[in-house]
């Protein structure tokens, strides 16, 4: 056992490839490391809303039961109507899908065989989906700890690709790029005739949310990906949408299966969007907890990304990689998100979700114990 763990945590890449590619896979994570699952586990690897889903979902759930008897609306019309009212853009500029993951897959199919760039660190599904469609994926890795986006330097690379993915606000760092930077990025993509794909899955967690969704009304080369999974804590229902030029959306949606959005997800999505207080309450809670956590981490001697979201990157500056800390916390039932499959930060950081105060406190206590025992 000890020999296995030494191999795993000090550079056996073949084993690292077996680690779950996403958060919220606690059972599989422990199995992949040949570790016993503790009786009590707190999962900090999944970055959904710590306040949970809006109360209205539980209140209305029984009333929606009848919808499972028939096929759902193939065009998701009621949900589309709610989205167009909220975003103030025509229905023709929207495409609803079974979570952002399906949307990313549809985009990758449209780009099949193309040369596509991904700005890293970023959500792993962009590259995975494009690789599955025989795209040539170019990795553009930004430098830590600021991960600044230099559009002037980037423009040369844009001339070499047909499309580019940018996650803003960013997963896994939690940072948000300034509005002027994103506007410059979109303009640069237009000059180089590059399809500009911006993932805004976490935009509504930012204290003062900013979206670039209106760009699709007059910029044919812009696509905006959105998710309802994160803010409304409905990961099990799967719901997301894409905004873009109607002609482009028709091409992307050609391979979308019928009824990919189920009837319960539609009902829940409409109810979530109508609950205007939930995002406001969430942002207030996250900001308060994040401030407290960051102050304590600084006192303990840990480094963190300058996140504005409901998660952040964490590291012990005394370690070149965080494998030992990762393992130490796992043994005590604290599951953080490994970063082995995030190009540019492979294993040098751990991603941590912000949870309820008691859970956050327990993690900080474990980190304090690590510092004392190290």
């Amino acid at each position: 056992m000890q020999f296995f763990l030494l191999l795993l945590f000090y550079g056996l890449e073949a084993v690292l490839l077996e680690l779950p590619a996403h958060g919220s896979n606690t059972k599989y994570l422990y199995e992949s490391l040949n570790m016993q699952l503790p009786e009590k586990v707190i999962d900090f690897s999944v970055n959904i809303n710590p306040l949970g889903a809006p109360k209205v979902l539980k209140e209305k759930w029984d009333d929606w039961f009848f919808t499972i008897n028939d096929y759902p609306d193939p065009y998701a019309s009621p949900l589309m109507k709610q989205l167009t009212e909220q975003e103030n853009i025509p229905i023709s500029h929207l495409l609803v899908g079974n979570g952002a993951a399906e949307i990313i897959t549809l985009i990758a199919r449209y780009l099949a065989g193309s040369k596509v760039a991904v700005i890293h660190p970023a959500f792993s599904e962009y590259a995975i989906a494009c690789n599955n469609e025989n795209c040539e994926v170019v990795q553009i890795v930004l430098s830590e700890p600021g991960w600044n986006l230099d559009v002037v330097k980037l423009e040369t690379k844009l001339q070499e690709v047909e499309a580019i993915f940018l996650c803003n606000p960013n997963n896994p760092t939690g940072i948000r790029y300034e509005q002027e930077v994103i506007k410059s990025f979109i303009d640069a993509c237009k000059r180089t005739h590059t399809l500009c794909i911006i993932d805004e899955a976490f935009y509504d967690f930012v204290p003062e949310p900013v979206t670039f969704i209106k760009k699709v009304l007059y910029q044919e080369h812009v696509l905006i990906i959105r998710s309802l999974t994160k803010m409304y804590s409905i990961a099990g229902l799967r719901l997301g949408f894409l905004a873009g030029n109607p002609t482009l959306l028709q091409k992307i949606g050609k391979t979308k299966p019928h009824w990919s959005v189920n009837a319960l997800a539609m009902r829940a999505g409409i109810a979530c969007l109508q609950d205007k207080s939930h995002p406001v309450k969430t942002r207030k809670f996250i900001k308060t907890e994040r401030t407290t956590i960051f102050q304590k981490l600084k006192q303990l001697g840990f480094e963190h990304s300058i996140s504005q979201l409901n998660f952040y990157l964490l590291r012990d500056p005394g370690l070149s990689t965080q494998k030992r800390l990762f393992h130490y916390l796992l043994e005590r039932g604290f599951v953080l998100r490994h970063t082995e499959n995030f190009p540019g930060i492979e294993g040098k950081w751990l991603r941590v979700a912000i949870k309820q105060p008691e859970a956050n406190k327990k993690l900080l206590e474990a980190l304090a114990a690590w510092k004392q025992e190290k």
Side-chain angles (χ1 to χ4, degrees), residues 83-84 86-90 93-95 168 182 186 198-200 203 209-219 222-228 241-245 249:
L83 284 170
T84 193
Q86 172 162 311
E87 303 300 336
N88 195 25
I89 60 176
H93 286 267
L94 297 171
L95 176 67
N168 181 61
I182 300 300
I186 292 173
I198 302 177
D199 185 348
E200 292 187 345
Y203 97 99
V210 174
T211 174
F212 290 86
I213 199 167
K214 291 291 183 67
K215 289 284 186 181
V216 305
L217 297 177
Y218 53 89
Q219 299 279 19
V222 177
L223 290 174
I224 302 293
I225 301 171
R226 286 280 197 81
S227 170
L228 276 70
F241 66 95
L242 180 66
N245 174 267
L249 291 187

Side-chain angles (χ1 to χ4, degrees), residues 84-152:
T84 193
E85 290 176 2
Q86 172 162 311
E87 303 300 336
N88 195 25
I89 60 176
I91 286 180
S92 59
H93 286 267
L94 297 171
L95 176 67
V96 176
N98 185 250
E102 182 184 47
I103 295 297
I104 293 167
T105 298
L106 293 175
I107 294 172
R109 288 175 184 167
Y110 168 74
L111 295 171
S114 302
K115 191 172 183 180
V116 180
V118 177
I119 297 178
H120 292 285
F123 185 43
S124 60
E125 284 299 320
Y126 313 142
I128 292 172
C130 289
N131 279 322
N132 288 341
E133 299 299 331
N134 298 313
C135 294
E136 180 184 347
V137 179
V138 178
Q139 296 181 351
I140 300 175
V141 180
L142 305 181
S143 300
E144 60 181 48
W147 296 283
N148 296 317
L149 184 63
D150 189 328
V151 178
V152 175

Side-chain angles (χ1 to χ4, degrees), residues 39-327:
E39 289 185 10
K40 293 183 179 180
V41 169
I42 305 179
D43 188 1
F44 289 85
S45 71
V46 58
N47 50 7
I48 59 175
N49 191 335
L51 297 185
K55 292 181 180 179
V56 65
L57 299 192
K58 190 173 183 179
E59 295 169 354
K60 295 288 187 179
W61 197 255
D62 289 346
D63 296 340
W64 297 338
F65 183 77
F66 76 93
T67 63
I68 70 172
N69 297 319
D70 197 2
Y71 288 97
D73 185 323
Y75 305 106
S77 298
L79 177 58
M80 292 280 276
K81 182 179 178 182
Q82 185 64 47
L83 284 170
T84 193
E85 290 176 2
Q86 172 162 311
E87 303 300 336
N88 195 25
I89 60 176
I91 286 180
S92 59
H93 286 267
L94 297 171
L95 176 67
V96 176
N98 185 250
E102 182 184 47
I103 295 297
I104 293 167
T105 298
L106 293 175
I107 294 172
R109 288 175 184 167
Y110 168 74
L111 295 171
S114 302
K115 191 172 183 180
V116 180
V118 177
I119 297 178
H120 292 285
F123 185 43
S124 60
E125 284 299 320
Y126 313 142
I128 292 172
C130 289
N131 279 322
N132 288 341
E133 299 299 331
N134 298 313
C135 294
E136 180 184 347
V137 179
V138 178
Q139 296 181 351
I140 300 175
V141 180
L142 305 181
S143 300
E144 60 181 48
W147 296 283
N148 296 317
L149 184 63
D150 189 328
V151 178
V152 175
K153 290 183 179 180
L154 183 65
E155 188 159 353
T156 301
K157 295 182 180 180
L158 288 175
Q159 296 172 359
E160 303 171 359
V161 299
E162 295 170 65
I164 187 166
F165 285 86
L166 173 66
C167 188
N168 181 61
N170 184 262
N171 176 18
T173 67
I175 67 172
R176 178 185 67 172
Y177 295 107
E178 296 295 332
Q179 293 184 53
E180 291 305 316
V181 172
I182 300 300
K183 289 177 181 177
S184 296
F185 174 69
I186 292 173
D187 291 342
C189 288
K190 184 176 183 179
R191 288 192 296 271
T192 58
H193 305 288
T194 307
L195 181 61
C196 176
I197 308 160
I198 302 177
D199 185 348
E200 292 187 345
F202 291 95
Y203 97 99
D204 42 4
F205 282 94
V206 176
E208 296 180 3
V210 174
T211 174
F212 290 86
I213 199 167
K214 291 291 183 67
K215 289 284 186 181
V216 305
L217 297 177
Y218 53 89
Q219 299 279 19
E220 296 183 0
H221 71 294
V222 177
L223 290 174
I224 302 293
I225 301 171
R226 286 280 197 81
S227 170
L228 276 70
T229 295
K230 308 298 185 180
M231 173 56 74
Y232 299 105
S233 193
I234 53 172
L237 285 176
R238 313 305 306 135
L239 198 57
F241 66 95
L242 180 66
N245 174 267
T247 302
L248 182 56
L249 291 187
Q250 287 180 3
K251 294 176 181 178
I252 293 172
K254 279 185 177 180
T255 59
K256 180 175 176 285
H258 288 294
W259 310 299
S260 73
V261 179
N262 69 71
L264 286 172
M266 286 188 215
R267 293 270 181 165
I270 293 169
C272 286
L273 293 169
Q274 290 175 342
D275 187 347
K276 306 301 182 184
S277 65
H278 195 67
V280 176
K281 188 193 310 180
T282 297
R283 288 191 288 269
K284 183 178 179 180
F285 172 82
I286 291 296
K287 183 179 180 180
T288 299
E289 282 300 299
R290 189 174 58 231
T291 300
T292 301
I293 292 168
F294 286 179
Q295 288 175 346
K296 185 62 176 178
L297 289 176
K298 184 177 181 180
Q299 293 172 7
L300 293 174
F302 287 93
E303 294 180 352
H304 62 82
S305 60
I306 310 302
S307 173
Q308 298 187 51
L309 303 181
N310 58 317
F311 57 87
Y312 56 95
L313 289 183
L314 165 78
R315 72 178 174 190
D316 183 337
L319 303 175
S320 57
T321 72
Q322 304 301 305
K323 296 184 180 72
R324 284 175 51 209
L325 175 58
F326 184 54
H327 182 244

